Amino acid sequence: MLLSRSRPLYRFTFNGWISTSPSIRKFTNTPSSIRVLEETYPTDDYTNLTPSILSKLSRRLHAQKGHPISTLRSLVESHFPDFSHLSSLSPVVTPYQNFDSLSFPADHPGRAKTDSYYINKNAMLRTHTSAHEVEIFSRGIERWLLTADVYRRDEIDASHYPVFHQMEGAKIFDTDASSIERVERECQLLERQLAASNIAIEDVQHMSETNPAQTSHDMRSSEVTAKNLKLCLNSLLYKLFAGVAGATKDDPLRVRWIEAYFPFTSPSFEVEVFFRGKWLEILGCGVVLQSTLDRAGVANKMGWAFGLGLERIAMILYSIPDIRLFWSEDARFLSQFTHGKIDAFKPYSRYPPSHRDISFWKSSSDMHDNDLYDVIRDVAGDLVEDVAIIDRFTHQKTQRHSLTVRVIYRSFDRSLVNEEVNVLQNRVVSRLRERLGVEIR
Ligand code: DAH
């Protein structure tokens, strides 16, 4: 369902809240319930969504024709024409879907409310597209791509934004001899195609002592699954990057496979591409943990999955210098792009930045840096370019913690005048006092 952009999706009248630890929570005025995408949820001490985040839920950049995120999605989808292409799953999931269904340990740091956005203890915004694996496999879909917005509490700079987009791809198959043979034949075909392409691959073993096959998998099917995964992704990366990088016989596209760890795959890999002089981390992938497939009711299958971040790749392919630009509704940004084509972004202006420093005492030691970033983002929106903690110390006698924070303001559309920045900064300061109980030094 395509949600209308003009309809507000959250209905509450106050102008911002954040709640984290009990000691911080006493400074906040979280309402007793909130509405997210047409549903009402009771709040509790997990609630830490902010209006600025909620306003992003309806944007659906990946469905906006011509937008770089949407073009990149189409390119990936066109590489997997026989896969189901999904893109309308709600960002609201349970912690079970996001973590437990994928065998994340109970103490995994990603679960912390300092790292993820919770509506309440039982509902959160997905932090990755893998959250939907069990659900999709259990619908009987064996080959699929899912594009979606994902949410993570994070620092503020040119390459971090609390909302970004991922694509998850997966393929599972039967494990009887004839099905495995079919996958082997497909591998041979892909191998021949890649051999005729200008690509140089630095590979790792399909499995090793530190990156093992799963005990329930036999050697042959485990090998062929990892091999099929590698071939499918190498040819995807060739499609995405060789066009822009101009791979030739003498200067082929370089792709590097690295052993990795994810709670929900084994063996697991990360893939990097050498682009404009640097190795860039592009995606994570691996052989799906059998327990995930068991939970989905497809215990007799096996297969692979990958997840990639679209903003990172789009920033590289389109030469887009700041992640905030993807959210721009300015015609000078949007009108530069044609759906299905990758053209270098032409910066239309670079207005001067303006910075302000704040020093304060934290109200309690459990105030997390991410609490600070969310408050600033909520006040200044996309006018904040970067937030850096430039000094941190603990008072010897009182044991109070002090921070000095530098906020860099800059607009893409116009020059910010000093008075305007002062107003923003004053609002940031009073919001930090109200919401986080800090004491300005
Ligand atoms: N979900 C992971 C992340 O957000 C990426 C990922 C890694 C997805 C491995 C996968 C996978 O499907 O197999 O960092």
Side-chain angles (χ1 to χ4, degrees):
M1 180 180 60
L2 230 152
L3 295 159
S4 147
R5 282 254 315 283
S6 53
R7 186 156 38 102
L9 291 165
Y10 52 98
R11 298 188 195 107
F12 39 82
T13 47
F14 58 97
N15 56 2
W17 80 93
I18 189 161
S19 102
T20 53
S21 63
S23 54
I24 302 286
R25 195 170 149 79
K26 68 173 182 271
F27 298 105
T28 71
N29 52 352
T30 310
S32 62
S33 71
I34 49 173
R35 267 186 88 77
V36 182
L37 297 171
E38 309 293 297
E39 289 273 343
T40 305
Y41 298 83
T43 59
D44 59 21
D45 35 288
Y46 268 72
T47 310
N48 64 1
L49 270 176
T50 63
S52 137
I53 293 299
L54 272 177
S55 71
K56 299 292 190 287
L57 265 61
S58 55
R59 290 288 300 275
R60 294 179 50 79
L61 301 184
H62 58 287
Q64 199 178 316
K65 270 253 165 341
H67 195 284
I69 297 296
S70 161
T71 284
L72 195 50
R73 161 195 166 188
S74 299
L75 277 175
V76 177
E77 286 179 347
S78 69
H79 193 71
F80 295 98
D82 59 336
F83 281 42
S84 294
H85 300 161
L86 311 170
S87 61
S88 303
L89 295 180
S90 169
V92 179
V93 298
T94 59
Y96 174 84
Q97 286 175 288
N98 202 78
F99 300 117
D100 305 84
S101 76
L102 296 162
S103 311
F104 275 69
D107 60 352
H108 193 279
R111 294 180 187 258
K113 51 190 178 172
T114 50
D115 284 35
S116 300
Y117 288 104
Y118 284 87
I119 298 171
N120 59 36
K121 194 174 188 312
N122 303 312
M124 64 184 300
L125 300 182
R126 66 183 154 228
T127 64
H128 59 169
T129 42
S130 308
H132 298 283
E133 282 194 7
V134 167
E135 178 187 343
I136 298 171
F137 286 134
S138 70
R139 284 198 229 158
I141 305 175
E142 302 195 344
R143 275 170 281 176
W144 52 268
L145 285 173
L146 165 66
T147 313
D149 39 337
V150 302
Y151 297 78
R152 290 185 201 172
R153 300 186 70 191
D154 215 333
E155 57 204 275
I156 298 180
D157 65 27
S159 59
H160 290 89
Y161 203 81
V163 194
F164 58 102
H165 295 78
Q166 285 189 330
M167 276 183 102
E168 187 95 359
K171 171 161 144 186
I172 55 173
F173 35 80
D174 287 311
T175 51
D176 59 281
S178 72
S179 305
I180 295 298
E181 272 160 31
R182 199 172 323 124
V183 181
E184 280 168 347
R185 280 198 300 278
E186 190 192 301
C187 286
Q188 288 161 8
L189 190 74
L190 283 164
E191 260 174 329
R192 277 202 295 277
Q193 283 169 1
L194 277 166
S197 309
N198 298 317
I199 184 169
I201 299 154
E202 295 175 32
D203 207 352
V204 280
Q205 286 178 298
H206 294 336
M207 51 204 93
S208 71
E209 217 162 273
T210 46
N211 199 21
Q214 295 166 47
T215 46
S216 59
H217 294 161
D218 65 68
M219 239 6 190
R220 180 179 173 199
S221 41
S222 218
E223 289 266 347
V224 77
T225 305
K227 187 170 176 181
N228 191 263
L229 165 67
K230 287 177 175 177
L231 288 163
C232 288
L233 291 180
N234 284 333
S235 84
L236 170 68
L237 294 176
Y238 190 70
K239 172 171 188 144
L240 293 181
F241 285 90
V244 179
T248 60
K249 244 199 168 48
D250 298 329
D251 189 15
L253 179 74
R254 293 172 65 193
V255 172
R256 171 160 94 176
W257 285 75
I258 297 166
E259 212 176 277
Y261 172 79
F262 300 104
F264 42 97
T265 45
S266 193
S268 307
F269 308 96
E270 255 159 31
V271 189
E272 298 183 343
V273 168
F274 196 73
F275 194 69
R276 302 203 178 116
K278 271 196 271 185
W279 282 107
L280 306 164
E281 201 185 298
I282 299 294
L283 59 83
C285 62
V287 176
V288 178
L289 226 54
Q290 211 53 38
S291 53
T292 306
L293 299 177
D294 294 350
R295 285 182 195 109
V298 286
N300 56 334
K301 317 255 178 197
M302 67 183 292
W304 51 252
F306 69 87
L308 53 82
L310 291 177
E311 273 81 354
R312 264 190 74 97
I313 301 178
M315 285 175 85
I316 296 161
L317 292 177
Y318 285 87
S319 302
I320 291 175
D322 191 303
I323 195 163
R324 288 176 297 166
L325 279 163
F326 291 112
W327 299 90
S328 170
E329 294 177 276
D330 191 318
R332 283 174 297 177
F333 178 75
L334 293 172
S335 68
Q336 291 198 17
F337 307 106
T338 312
H339 192 75
K341 277 186 68 191
I342 295 181
D343 292 314
F345 169 66
K346 293 181 239 25
Y348 39 85
S349 62
R350 197 85 173 125
Y351 294 99
S354 180
H355 78 258
R356 297 288 185 280
D357 294 347
I358 333 166
S359 296
F360 56 83
W361 297 108
K362 295 212 266 185
S363 57
S364 83
S365 57
D366 55 6
M367 180 192 130
H368 193 278
D369 294 348
N370 284 347
D371 297 336
L372 174 75
Y373 303 140
D374 268 322
V375 167
I376 298 173
R377 184 85 77 177
D378 230 27
V379 171
D382 287 354
L383 295 178
V384 54
E385 174 171 289
D386 194 285
V387 178
I389 296 177
I390 54 179
D391 187 49
R392 211 189 264 278
F393 75 89
T394 305
H395 192 280
Q396 285 280 332
K397 279 208 193 105
T398 62
Q399 287 301 305
R400 288 170 93 194
H401 300 278
S402 159
L403 289 188
T404 299
V405 177
R406 174 160 297 173
V407 185
I408 299 179
Y409 299 94
R410 191 208 301 255
S411 165
F412 287 110
D413 312 329
R414 59 202 163 82
S415 242
L416 295 177
V417 293
N418 258 319
E419 289 73 42
E420 187 179 4
V421 178
N422 290 339
V423 169
L424 280 173
Q425 179 71 0
N426 288 338
R427 243 186 252 153
V428 164
V429 169
S430 50
R431 202 63 82 76
L432 286 173
R433 282 215 194 92
E434 278 164 44
R435 308 276 174 219
L436 303 179
V438 310
E439 186 188 322
I440 306 300
R441 297 177 44 218

